[in-house]
Amino acid sequence: MDLELTTQFNDIILPTAWDIENNSPFINIDSGGLKVNYTDPDDNKAAIIRANYSIPSQCGIFYFEIKIINEGKNGIIGVGYCTKQNNKEIDDSIIETNYINNMLMPGQESKESELWSCGYHGDDGYSFCSGGSEPYGPTYGTGDIIGCYLNFMTKVVFYTKNGINLGIACNLPDNWKGILYPCVGFRSQNGSVEVNFGRETFKYSAMTNEDISKRSNNALALEYQEKLYYIMGGYENMLVNLTGELTKLLEKKQNNVLELGYRGKIFFIMGEYDKALEYLTRLLETEPDNITALKYRAEINYIMKRYNESITDLKKLLKIKPTDTWAMEAHKLVENS
């Protein structure tokens, strides 16, 4: 996926790399701007590195992934989103309040702070959000791929681990109007990560088009592929228009498997889970062994804390594909919830 592709939407500037100029002296970034290494010998100090650009105000949905190249000495790495705070003048002196170079990991600043951030931490599996924290998912370390999904429309943040959705972690404030940057925090000597803002295929298949569009090369599939590509740029209205087009097709043929699948996945990505369930269930009524529909319905039920329903779909999926790694890992996650 080439984020620099010239299109009619090239006025949108998306994060493409880490911010090389504004970072801690203990943060080393490779020449491509994607790989980061933390070298501070004092593990009591933390540093956060932000993306080179904030998420555009037009953005409805954004997703990125971090590969943990090396968890470092103690595995304290956090992935999430953060704001940016500039220097403040107090009593004619400059007080350094740069968010990049403080003692906090993503999500650990107090609720009274002007800042907002969230983070999923690898050493303990906790989700942090504006000073609060709670157990969230499994720990992670070297070799794992952690994804971070943000939906400005529903104000939801969730994370993924190796392509598995871990469920809703936190919510943006109701009146949120600020800007956010993808970020990663370190408090682990020799910790090293590499970011994927979409140049490579995501591990989390919901943010790719391969699981549905590979089944067809027709014009609708190509249009869907383009719409899904731009969902990270905030063109959710395009997706809404596409669902309208799909509705017309479904009116002509109520059980069109391809269109039901497209519509279910679009609503899933947009965070409209009830609508997604409606179309995925209709698809499964027509094609009971549809692997893609079973997968997304199981994931949605998990997000909605309907664990029994999620287990049922995952068991059926494993019966169809007994060695499916995604289904096996998802089944473990849901069983432990």
Side-chain angles (χ1 to χ4, degrees):
M1 188 183 295
D2 187 355
L3 293 180
E4 295 180 352
L5 182 68
T6 300
T7 72
Q8 59 180 313
F9 308 110
N10 61 1
D11 57 317
I12 295 295
I13 300 176
L14 297 172
T16 57
W18 296 119
D19 184 353
I20 295 176
E21 296 181 356
N22 189 14
N23 63 74
S24 163
F26 297 106
I27 292 287
N28 293 329
I29 305 175
D30 75 335
S31 59
L34 302 178
K35 294 181 180 179
V36 178
N37 185 50
Y38 180 64
T39 61
D40 194 334
D42 185 353
D43 287 331
N44 290 320
K45 293 182 180 179
I48 291 179
I49 180 70
R50 289 191 309 260
N52 54 356
Y53 298 109
S54 63
I55 303 169
S57 59
Q58 302 97 321
C59 229
I61 298 167
F62 192 83
Y63 180 80
F64 72 100
E65 289 183 342
I66 296 288
K67 181 177 181 178
I68 311 300
I69 299 174
N70 186 349
E71 66 188 66
K73 182 178 178 181
N74 56 33
I76 302 178
I77 296 175
V79 177
Y81 294 98
C82 70
T83 52
K84 179 179 181 180
Q85 185 174 14
N86 297 320
N87 293 339
K88 292 183 176 180
E89 290 192 20
I90 300 178
D91 297 330
D92 298 324
S93 63
I94 299 292
I95 296 180
E96 177 65 37
T97 56
N98 194 325
Y99 189 75
I100 291 297
N101 201 11
N102 60 26
M103 299 288 288
L104 303 173
M105 291 285 286
Q108 289 187 335
E109 69 287 312
S110 69
K111 293 183 179 179
E112 290 72 27
S113 170
E114 296 178 4
L115 303 172
W116 187 92
S117 73
C118 62
Y120 169 33
H121 294 196
D123 60 311
D124 55 14
Y126 272 57
S127 168
F128 289 78
C129 182
S130 289
S133 65
E134 60 182 5
Y136 173 64
T139 60
Y140 60 82
T142 303
D144 288 323
I145 295 176
I146 304 302
C148 190
Y149 167 99
L150 171 65
N151 189 323
F152 282 108
M153 298 175 289
T154 60
K155 295 182 169 55
V156 162
V157 174
F158 69 67
Y159 303 96
T160 64
K161 177 183 176 182
N162 299 328
I164 308 295
N165 190 323
L166 302 178
I168 295 173
C170 64
N171 298 86
L172 284 170
D174 291 336
N175 58 349
W176 177 257
K177 295 182 180 180
I179 60 173
L180 290 172
Y181 293 79
C183 70
V184 61
F186 296 91
R187 215 182 77 192
S188 183
Q189 186 180 3
N190 293 323
S192 180
V193 305
E194 181 175 8
V195 67
N196 177 13
F197 287 123
R199 290 184 180 275
E200 304 293 335
T201 300
F202 288 125
K203 181 72 173 179
Y204 181 47
S205 64
M207 298 308 295
T208 73
N209 53 56
E210 294 180 350
D211 52 355
I212 293 183
S213 65
K214 68 182 180 182
R215 300 178 60 189
S216 173
N217 291 319
N218 65 19
L220 178 64
L222 294 175
E223 184 175 10
Y224 169 82
Q225 181 175 346
E226 181 181 1
K227 302 299 191 295
L228 182 56
Y229 170 88
Y230 281 108
I231 195 167
M232 291 195 301
Y235 293 95
E236 68 276 5
N237 289 335
M238 295 174 63
L239 293 176
V240 172
N241 292 337
L242 180 57
T243 60
E245 296 168 19
L246 292 172
T247 298
K248 295 177 183 178
L249 291 171
L250 287 171
E251 289 174 352
K252 296 177 182 178
K253 189 176 181 180
Q254 288 296 315
N255 292 323
N256 190 312
V257 170
L258 188 62
E259 280 69 38
L260 285 169
Y262 282 156
R263 194 170 173 85
K265 182 170 180 178
I266 289 170
F267 279 124
F268 169 68
I269 295 171
M270 293 172 64
E272 297 190 34
Y273 299 129
D274 288 328
K275 291 181 180 179
L277 280 175
E278 175 188 347
Y279 289 98
L280 293 172
T281 298
R282 282 177 58 182
L283 172 51
L284 287 168
E285 289 170 353
T286 302
E287 196 173 277
D289 292 339
N290 187 290
I291 293 172
T292 302
L294 285 169
K295 177 179 178 179
Y296 285 123
R297 196 170 71 170
E299 188 170 332
I300 293 169
N301 279 323
Y302 175 72
I303 291 173
M304 300 176 71
K305 301 186 185 301
R306 297 167 52 173
Y307 302 129
N308 290 336
E309 291 88 342
S310 182
I311 285 288
T312 297
D313 283 340
L314 289 170
K315 285 182 175 178
K316 185 170 184 179
L317 183 55
L318 284 169
K319 187 174 181 180
I320 299 169
K321 296 182 67 178
T323 60
D324 187 285
T325 302
W326 181 92
M328 288 189 288
E329 292 301 317
H331 188 273
K332 291 179 185 177
L333 176 69
V334 180
E335 276 198 326
N336 292 330
S337 298

